[in-house]
Structure formats: C-alpha cells, structure tokens
Amino acid sequence: MIFNRKGGIGMTYEKHIREFEARTTKAKQMGGEEKLRKRRESGILNVRERVDYLVDSGSWEESGLLTVTVDPPELREKTPADGKVAGFATINNREVAVVANDFTVKGSSSTPLNEKKFSHMKQYATKRGMPIIFLGESTGVRMPDVLGSANMSQVGGPTRFLRKRETPWVSAVMGYAFGSSAWHACCADFNVMRKGSIMAVSSPQLVSLATKAKVEPEELGGWRIHSEVTGFADVVVDTDQEALDAIKQFLSYLPSHSNEAPSRMPVPPGSGEEMEHILDLLPAIRSKVYDVRKIINVIVDKETNFELKARYGKSVVTSLARIDGRSVGIIASNPLFKGGSIDADACDKIISFVVLCDSFNIPLVFLIDQPGFLIGLEAEKNKITGKVINWMNALSLCTVPKIAIILRKSYGQAHINMGGGGMVDELAAWFTADVSFMDPVSGVAIVHGVNREDNPEQFEKLMKEFALDTTAYDMAAVYGVQKVLDPRETRNYLIRMLKAHEMKASNGVGERNLRTWPTSY
C-alpha cells in the first residue's frame, strides 16, 4: 500500500482497495442473508460464527477466502469461499488448523477446488505439528463434478484419509454430514455430534431411492445410532456451542503433536479431598452394583473427568482425565451396566481408546471390577472372540505407562485383558479384590453341577473350596500384584506411580506402535 506525503492512500490504488473490500465483504456474506436468517431462527450458528466461537479472539487467519467455483463460470458469484472456510488460529494459545463447512453455499458440497484447500490445511497441520479440526456439515460431493469416468479418475488420492496420527484430528458433526464429512468424522480421534445431525454415506433420499423403501434420517444416521450402536460419536450435545466447547476440552488433554507429551496443568483446588470417603461408594456386598464414574471423580483432579463414548459399550468407562495435573486415560469396569461383563462393543471401545492414548503419549490407568466377558450366541455373532484378541494385541503393542488396580472382581481371560498377567507396568489391588478364573458361584455349578437352591449345604461347602487363594493378599504373596492398597491411598499411589513411570528418556514420547491402527472397524 502506498501513502502520499500527507499520510493518505495514494489515488492510484483507490480502485484496487474498493475492489478488495467488495470481494472480501461478499465472500464473508456466505450464502446470503435469507439462508443465514433461517439458521438464526433455528438456533444454529453459521460457519463463521462457529469459527469465531471456537478460536481465540483475533487469532483467525483465513486461507482461501476468495476461492470460488470457476467452472462453470456462472457459479463464480454463487460460491463464496467455495463452501469451505479454512484457516489457522489458536485455541487457548495453541496453534490449530480449521476446516469448516458452509452449508449455505451449495450445501458445502465437495469439489476438486475446495478439496485443494482442505488438503493444504491437512498437509501443513501435519508438517508444522498442530491439531486439525473439521466442522462437518455437507451434502457430499457436488454434482456434476464426479459424473463420468474422466471426473472420477481425478477423485481421491492415496493419502487423503491416511492416518498416522502425527497430530490430533478432531471432528464435529453439526448438521447433515454425508460423504467426506462422514469420512473425516470416522477418521478423527474425537467426534462430537449435535442432536438433530445426521451422519451417513449418502442422504436419506438417495438411500430411499436405492432401497425402494422410505428411510427416516434419524434411523439412517442420527445421534442415537452413532452414540449407541456404531460408537462413532464420542460425545453427544444439544447445541453448536456445546459441540465447540467439547472440542476445546478434548484438545486440552492432548499434545499438539505426537512427538511431545501432553502439557501439565494446574491442579484444581479441592482435588483429592473426597478420598477419605471413597469406601462409601463401594458396596460391601460384592453382588451389589455401583457407578464407577463416582469413584473416578474422587480419584482424579477435580472436574477433569471427560468421558468418551458414554452411551456405547457401557459396562466399561473410557475417560480422559488428569491426576496431579497429568493427562491420563482411564479404562474402568462399570458394574452398573451388565454387572461389568465386557461385551463386543466394550472391546471395540477399549481398543479405540488404547490406540488414542498410545498414539499421543497419554498414560493408561485401569480400574477393574469385572466378572468376565459376556458369553452366549449373540456375543459370538458379534465376533467377541476376535475382538478379545485384537484388544490383547493392541495392549501388547501399547508402550505408554500402564497402571492397573483391581477394585473387586477380576475373573477369567478378562483379567489378562484388563492388565493382569504382566500386561501392565504396575498392578495393584484394593484389599477388597477377588481374582480367579471364574466367579465361585459359576465354578461350583459347572464343575460339580451343584447350585444353592437345590443343595444349599453342599453348595456352601464347595464355595469355600473355590474361594481359596483368591484374595489380594494371596496375589501379593506370589508377587502377582505389586501392592495391596487401602482404597483411600489410591490417588496418592497413582500420583507416585505416574511419576515413577514417566517416559523421561524419550521426553514423554512412547514408541507409538498403534499409530496406524484402523480408525473404524
């Protein structure tokens, strides 16, 4: 920009300035006032409002603001930013890359041009070591850009959805998400879904046409499907703002890239104060259920328990949290659901979580109270046998620190999967622990064919035999556990062990053997 001697702008550039300002203003008007008004009335943020809410004030630097569809020429004036808003910013003073879909412009449909913008952001987020965030709301690919063999030959590429987990990928499904919006949600390390959104391969209209049967959007890919059946939604929220808050919270537990440890955070006041009362949360009768999330909340730093996939595989809890300011991944049996029995969905949930923590250098803490794997015809149809072994393989490859504590029951093969048998770096047991191949009640029935109802005296006698050598002290005697804990010592024990097992020699970075594990299976 040239200034004259009086400090004004040189007359030579006034035309250029007016054109620049007009083009910039038009691009930021998105799909026009009528479409934006309808969104406001429905309580849904537009794409630029979403970005403004997500990132630190004043940090946004847009990439490709003046991109438009140039072919056919008549779309030049109708495609501001070509339906994709992209740029660099900071969230809590940490650099991030953002790609956000503008549904008011051609349904934010994907084109070769806006895919160039998308690819640029992914490339440099990876190269420079920053998380990338996808705000998904799209009708899928734009017709007629992919019609015909010549166009189809230009689609995709070998690295478009390649995940090596060099940096965190985060997704929010914030409306209709078909095609690439769905692909990126399933590729992401974290996916939050707003109620009312739909995520699927294709739209309900196309599915109805193909199947000759009417398909309702919610039935095809609503939040209940993806939070309770597929497990693709890690968190479900009611509003756009809550979705964006969830992204911020998730990123706070992770490093910016895989070659560093997560940042330490200040310990909130009051953390650990309830440890003296932790036994009040554990029923004295082993057959009674309880919600392990209450125990987690007492152990971890105050208000840092961030549960993932809460509606999926509910007999196990997977949470990001902090203990003494350190990010940790919690895998905990939850007897409140199915008595803590581990089903096929819970296996998938745990594997996905182990992959996340191993890829981004987050230590794992297991809290164990489970009667074994869920068995039966339905379990086998859901491939639980193979999933048990996949879980074992993932845990064997995982190199971040792993600490496990047996709270009450730990039976059968699930004892090994949850950290027994040398699968973790430190195994401790509360003095309430009971460990064996199976629950004594089942053992007596299977081995001797005796049950309590038919022969109570014989049953109780055999029960005593099956219950021999199953206590925490029996395990400690043969160094099967490294420590027997008074439950009230749990937080201090974990603080000490996390410090002892800190990966100092590699600056907190593990071997990351699971970095290319499939994102969805």
Side-chain angles (χ1 to χ4, degrees), residues 440-454:
V441 173
S442 300
V444 170
I446 290 171
V447 175
H448 297 285
V450 176
N451 59 59
R452 182 179 277 117
E453 290 75 20
D454 294 339

Side-chain angles (χ1 to χ4, degrees), residues 33 35-46 49:
E33 179 53 35
K35 290 181 178 179
L36 296 177
R37 180 186 62 78
K38 289 180 179 178
R39 291 179 76 88
R40 283 195 299 271
E41 290 175 353
S42 64
I44 299 173
L45 301 179
N46 68 53
E49 290 170 335

Side-chain angles (χ1 to χ4, degrees), residues 214-231:
K214 183 173 176 55
V215 177
E216 294 298 328
E218 287 287 342
E219 178 188 11
L220 180 66
W223 66 270
R224 289 190 184 278
I225 294 293
H226 291 306
S227 63
E228 299 173 5
V229 180
T230 70

Side-chain angles (χ1 to χ4, degrees), residues 250-265:
F250 174 79
L251 286 175
S252 73
Y253 297 96
L254 269 69
S256 291
H257 54 81
S258 59
N259 288 321
E260 66 178 7
S263 299
R264 292 284 296 273
M265 295 291 183

Side-chain angles (χ1 to χ4, degrees), residues 95 124-131 166-168 256-258 260:
E95 291 290 339
Y124 283 98
T126 300
K127 185 176 286 189
R128 304 305 180 212
M130 67 183 82
E166 298 101 326
T167 67
S256 291
H257 54 81
S258 59
E260 66 178 7

Side-chain angles (χ1 to χ4, degrees), residues 148-335:
S149 59
N151 284 329
M152 282 300 292
S153 68
Q154 306 300 315
V155 173
T159 61
R160 186 182 179 196
F161 297 108
L162 176 64
R163 283 307 324 269
K164 293 183 180 178
R165 295 181 175 85
E166 298 101 326
T167 67
W169 284 19
V170 180
S171 166
V173 176
M174 308 177 82
Y176 277 5
F178 307 130
S180 68
S181 286
W183 311 147
H184 284 97
C186 291
C187 277
D189 302 297
F190 174 75
N191 180 36
V192 56
M193 194 167 183
R194 194 201 71 219
K195 290 180 181 178
S197 300
I198 307 296
M199 183 177 80
V201 173
S202 297
S203 69
Q205 295 93 327
L206 184 57
V207 173
S208 296
L209 184 65
T211 62
K212 305 295 188 294
K214 183 173 176 55
V215 177
E216 294 298 328
E218 287 287 342
E219 178 188 11
L220 180 66
W223 66 270
R224 289 190 184 278
I225 294 293
H226 291 306
S227 63
E228 299 173 5
V229 180
T230 70
F232 291 152
D234 291 293
V235 170
V236 174
V237 297
D238 292 313
T239 67
D240 282 0
Q241 291 89 338
E242 288 173 338
L244 300 169
D245 286 338
I247 288 173
K248 296 179 189 180
Q249 187 171 0
F250 174 79
L251 286 175
S252 73
Y253 297 96
L254 269 69
S256 291
H257 54 81
S258 59
N259 288 321
E260 66 178 7
S263 299
R264 292 284 296 273
M265 295 291 183
V267 180
S271 296
E273 285 183 351
E274 297 300 313
M275 284 303 302
E276 281 296 313
H277 306 292
I278 195 168
L279 282 166
D280 296 339
L281 304 175
L282 187 77
I285 299 173
R286 199 172 62 197
S287 59
K288 286 193 174 181
V289 301
Y290 62 95
D291 191 343
V292 78
R293 289 170 293 196
K294 295 179 180 179
I295 287 178
I296 294 171
N297 287 335
V298 168
I299 293 172
V300 303
D301 292 358
K302 195 169 186 178
E303 296 181 354
T304 66
N305 185 26
F306 184 58
E307 188 175 358
L308 306 182
K309 302 188 192 301
R311 299 171 182 266
Y312 180 73
K314 294 193 288 186
S315 63
V316 171
V317 171
T318 51
S319 292
L320 293 170
R322 294 190 188 89
I323 296 177
D324 197 33
R326 298 175 187 269
S327 289
V328 295
I330 307 285
I331 298 174
S333 309
N334 197 358

